[in-house]
Amino acid sequence: MNNGPLNGAVVAVAGAAGPAGRAALLRLAEAGAVVVGADADAERLAEAVDAARYAHGGATVTGDTVDLLDLQATRDWAERTQKDFGRIDGLVHLVGGWRGSTSFPETDLADWELLEKLLIKTVQHTSLAFHDGLLRSDRGRFVLVSQSGAHKPTANNAAYNAGKAAAEAWTLALGDSFRKAGGEDGPTAAAAILVIKALVHDAMRAERPNAKFAGFTDVTELADAIAGVWDKPAQEVNGQRLWLTPKP
């Protein structure tokens, strides 16, 4: 019997169909959580949900096709989740995307238009939709995955780095809201940022068997770190950047 902090917790995963999402669904289900995945890709989401259910028989893992670029659709998802399961204890934000250029002057602002939606809007919408529910929880956690370039931007990654930096700032503002709501006793909910350099998974290794992937974080390690945010008290992780790669 799993008696850890995630046992019986209801955790929503935004961007659940990608490699990081799949790993997170598996890890959270293993820890005894009820996991509610959302993604825009219904087919890939169904595969990810099935894989997590199959790996952990008896685990409650569900999938919702949600357009997280639509605030009302995101709010509806949050409300539906709380109605179905009675509570919400976490939102893990794994919606990503990358665009780069060969140099700073060659930056295509169309890349920024796309990244602003994927990296920032989805954070805004999920945090606004789940804020009150996470505050009601005795173990509410909002987890953002960010990238080290937000702290040392590079010429060819201006749009991506700026998007990640904005997402971090938004998440820290959410953490401040949790802090203020907690008053003298401190926050009961926490907003935390996991910072990586890049992710790697088995399919990438298979495609490039000779690549070193130096400094990359395996998606299973990221999933462990996500689950680990519940192992620490809210005061310890709220408004914090937890580095999974050396600081630049």
Side-chain angles (χ1 to χ4, degrees):
M1 180 72 185
N2 191 321
N3 292 316
L6 276 164
N7 190 47
V10 179
V11 182
V13 179
R22 290 177 78 111
L25 294 185
L26 284 165
R27 182 66 184 82
L28 292 165
E30 181 190 13
V34 170
V35 195
V36 184
D39 205 279
D41 188 324
E43 194 175 327
R44 286 176 71 215
L45 177 62
E47 287 172 9
V49 166
D50 284 348
R53 276 187 194 149
Y54 180 74
H56 302 289
T60 302
V61 186
T62 64
D64 252 335
T65 308
V66 183
D67 179 7
L68 297 173
L69 296 178
D70 180 330
L71 178 56
Q72 190 53 53
T74 310
R75 287 191 192 277
D76 291 345
W77 176 48
E79 284 173 22
R80 194 162 58 245
T81 300
Q82 290 168 81
K83 190 178 169 192
D84 289 350
F85 300 105
R87 57 187 295 141
I88 185 70
D89 302 295
L91 185 288
V92 179
H93 186 278
L94 295 173
V95 183
W98 178 83
R99 293 287 185 280
S101 59
T102 50
S103 68
F104 183 82
E106 290 173 292
T107 299
D108 183 348
L109 288 177
D111 290 345
W112 168 255
E113 298 287 335
L114 174 70
L115 292 171
E116 189 224 358
K117 289 176 183 161
L118 293 175
L119 305 182
I120 306 171
K121 286 271 192 221
T122 58
V123 173
Q124 293 172 327
H125 292 171
T126 51
S127 59
L128 291 168
F130 284 89
H131 175 274
D132 291 359
L134 293 175
L135 261 187
R136 284 191 293 269
S137 167
D138 58 347
R139 48 186 155 171
R141 300 288 186 272
F142 183 97
V143 184
L144 176 78
V145 178
S146 189
Q147 199 263 342
S148 53
H151 304 268
K152 192 176 183 182
T154 56
N156 62 323
N157 272 323
Y160 179 74
N161 294 158
K164 282 294 191 185
E168 286 198 13
W170 188 274
T171 302
L172 295 175
L174 172 65
D176 193 50
S177 179
F178 289 159
R179 181 186 64 80
K180 286 178 170 146
E184 287 181 9
D185 296 332
T188 55
I193 298 165
L194 300 176
V195 189
I196 60 166
K197 172 184 170 182
L199 289 173
V200 63
H201 50 86
D202 289 345
M204 285 170 66
R205 291 195 185 90
E207 281 172 21
R208 296 167 59 197
N210 298 320
K212 294 276 191 283
F213 298 109
F216 284 41
T217 300
D218 192 280
V219 290
T220 57
E221 290 170 48
L222 176 65
D224 285 341
I226 289 167
V229 173
W230 274 267
D231 289 336
K232 299 181 176 118
Q235 289 102 313
E236 221 175 283
V237 290
N238 186 45
Q240 298 300 310
R241 293 182 180 91
L242 309 171
W243 288 79
L244 305 185
T245 187
K247 291 186 185 183

